[in-house]
Amino acid sequence: MADIQNNPSLWKSSFVTILVVNLLTGIAMYGLLLTEPWVLGRYFQENLSVAGAVVSVFGAGIFLFGPFANYWLDRYKRKSVVLWAQFFMLLFTVATLYRLPEWMYIAARFMQGAAYGLFQIALGATLLIDLTHTKKRTKAAYWYYWVTRFALALGPLAALVLNLYFDWENVIWLPASMLLLSWLLILQLHVPFRTPLEPKCFSLDRFWLPRAKILFFTLVPISFLLGLLLPRNYTVYFYGWLFGGFILSQAIHYFFFRTRDSRLLMLLGFVALILVYVINLLVPEPDVVPFTGLLAGAGGGLLTSRYLIYFMRVAEHCERGTAQSSYMLGWESGLCLGMLGSSLLLPRNAQIVYWIGLAVVLLLAVFYFAKVHRWFLTHSRKGM
């Protein structure tokens, strides 16, 4: 560990490896957002909206192992915890290739989410911190979660491109291969030895930051707004534009808003999301809708990237990993809730999805500027 603190460089081989592993795992998990509903629909003759709701139990699963993560990460080798989490993600992904009873598919999706939640706590909230110099950890988290956002676009995009050449049942091998490759990369990652500890078996450490609950409960609806759009867009163009929007928001945040008042950045993000839903309501043309992916990526990227900074700044130095886990939980659960809501409403009235999204973003924007921003200024442990 001393060697890490003596080398302040951020872009070391260990950091790049962690980013690549996160990208591959994200592509695998988010690619399943599109492949699994189609496979379930094919096997059980369900309509796609019901199948989409079934796989949303992934979001509930990510909370399962969180209270035990701190014990496992302090009691056992942290690299081993990551490897076991990856193994179970791969196992439950491959299980979806077989004709199993529907309840087993639901259970597999739930356990897949549980393994993914543990993986993110072990990798993004623990190994990332352990292998990064103290003064570079905020920047490391910044890039780590940008990779996660990129994967949200790249996973479905890769699945859709492959579907041009293969059936959906074969496309599901994409996530399986990505998970296997990420497992091999972690296997060769060097993690310095640390003495095992004997913490409490059940703990909120590295899992939930109570003082940031207002941030959590306002981050969830932001990612919910993105999740609402996913079951309604099965085109390469939409996810290509979504990726472009994430790139655009990253550039805007990095070059223009690193040292400025964040209220303007947040306003820009909310306006972009409002435009997404207004355009879908007023101009629901097939040639226009995919372009809203650019606005969704830009708005969602601006808001969620700033929220990560908020989580980091309300946490004590020793709570950095816990803050990152709380952020991850808000991001993932919001996406799955959005998918669930969109899937359940889709067969009845497609337009109601957009009306709900518009109402949520308007209410959230008002609440943010009336309450959340002032709360953050009061509780921030660092300057803006």
Side-chain angles (χ1 to χ4, degrees):
M1 299 297 286
D3 292 340
I4 295 172
Q5 299 309 318
N6 291 332
N7 181 6
S9 174
L10 174 63
W11 294 94
K12 297 176 292 188
S13 60
S14 58
F15 177 64
V16 174
T17 298
I18 288 175
L19 291 187
V20 172
V21 168
N22 186 37
L23 179 64
L24 293 174
T25 305
I27 288 174
M29 293 296 100
Y30 296 134
L32 287 171
L33 296 179
L34 294 188
T35 57
E36 279 195 330
W38 282 87
V39 173
L40 285 168
R42 184 79 170 267
Y43 286 168
F44 302 118
Q45 289 76 51
E46 304 269 13
N47 63 53
L48 292 180
S49 61
V50 173
V54 169
V55 298
S56 296
V57 299
F58 177 92
I62 62 173
F63 291 86
L64 181 64
F65 294 139
F68 308 100
N70 186 62
Y71 173 78
W72 291 332
L73 290 164
D74 280 345
R75 181 66 181 83
Y76 304 105
K77 293 181 179 179
R78 294 174 173 182
K79 177 177 170 179
S80 297
V81 176
V82 177
L83 289 170
W84 277 109
Q86 290 175 301
F87 170 77
F88 283 110
M89 276 192 289
L90 179 59
L91 175 66
F92 292 116
T93 298
V94 173
T96 61
L97 294 169
Y98 299 94
R99 290 180 178 270
L100 302 172
E102 188 169 347
W103 71 267
M104 293 187 69
Y105 270 91
I106 297 173
R109 186 61 171 161
F110 178 81
M111 293 307 300
Q112 197 179 57
Y116 180 71
L118 178 61
F119 165 81
Q120 284 292 354
I121 294 173
L123 185 71
T126 305
L127 282 190
L128 179 68
I129 293 173
D130 289 348
L131 299 178
T132 304
H133 188 275
T134 302
K135 295 182 179 180
K136 299 291 184 178
R137 287 173 178 170
T138 297
K139 186 174 290 187
Y142 174 86
W143 286 108
Y144 181 88
Y145 289 104
W146 265 113
V147 167
T148 303
R149 296 180 200 106
F150 294 156
L152 177 63
L154 293 176
L157 180 62
L160 287 165
V161 170
L162 286 178
N163 183 237
L164 298 175
Y165 307 98
F166 305 100
D167 292 335
W168 280 109
E169 290 89 337
N170 294 318
V171 171
I172 206 169
W173 283 106
L174 167 70
S177 61
M178 293 290 186
L179 290 171
L180 179 59
L181 180 56
S182 69
W183 187 85
L184 293 173
L185 287 173
I186 288 294
L187 197 62
Q188 58 81 42
L189 181 67
H190 173 68
V191 179
F193 173 80
R194 63 185 308 279
T195 305
L197 303 175
E198 290 288 348
K200 295 179 180 179
C201 183
F202 187 94
S203 172
L204 294 181
D205 288 348
R206 294 196 177 92
F207 173 56
W208 173 254
L209 188 65
R211 75 164 64 90
K213 57 182 178 293
I214 189 174
L215 296 177
F216 175 86
F217 288 113
T218 48
L219 172 62
V220 168
I222 293 174
S223 55
F224 170 85
L225 291 167
L226 295 176
L228 275 179
L229 300 171
L230 300 183
R232 304 207 21 86
N233 292 279
Y234 278 84
T235 68
V236 171
Y237 301 105
F238 175 82
Y239 288 99
W241 283 111
L242 182 67
F243 179 67
F246 284 139
I247 294 288
L248 177 62
S249 64
Q250 199 278 340
I252 292 172
H253 186 270
Y254 189 80
F255 290 109
F256 298 104
F257 287 98
R258 283 190 297 172
T259 58
R260 297 185 184 182
D261 190 332
S262 63
R263 283 174 294 187
L264 180 58
L265 179 144
M266 299 298 286
L267 178 62
L268 190 60
F270 282 122
V271 168
L273 288 181
I274 289 169
L275 288 175
V276 169
Y277 286 97
V278 169
I279 291 173
N280 276 286
L281 285 168
L282 299 181
V283 194
E285 299 294 332
D287 294 335
V288 175
V289 170
F291 291 99
T292 60
L294 180 69
L295 291 170
L302 289 173
L303 296 175
T304 56
S305 63
R306 195 63 198 179
Y307 257 74
L308 174 63
I309 302 301
Y310 289 173
F311 272 92
M312 303 289 281
R313 290 185 178 176
V314 300
E316 299 283 1
H317 180 76
C318 60
E319 296 175 327
R320 185 182 297 269
T322 308
Q324 292 175 210
S325 294
S326 296
Y327 173 85
M328 179 274 296
L329 292 171
W331 163 261
E332 297 291 345
S333 56
L335 284 176
C336 290
L337 285 173
M339 285 193 64
L340 176 62
S342 187
S343 298
L344 294 176
L345 294 169
L346 193 57
R348 302 176 185 177
N349 185 347
Q351 291 296 91
I352 197 172
V353 174
Y354 298 129
W355 281 113
I356 290 173
L358 182 60
V360 170
V361 68
L362 288 172
L363 290 173
L364 184 61
V366 171
F367 184 73
Y368 173 83
F369 289 108
K371 175 72 175 180
V372 178
H373 190 80
R374 285 187 292 176
W375 178 92
F376 170 71
L377 292 178
T378 303
H379 293 82
S380 176
R381 301 184 184 277
K382 296 180 182 179
M384 285 293 288

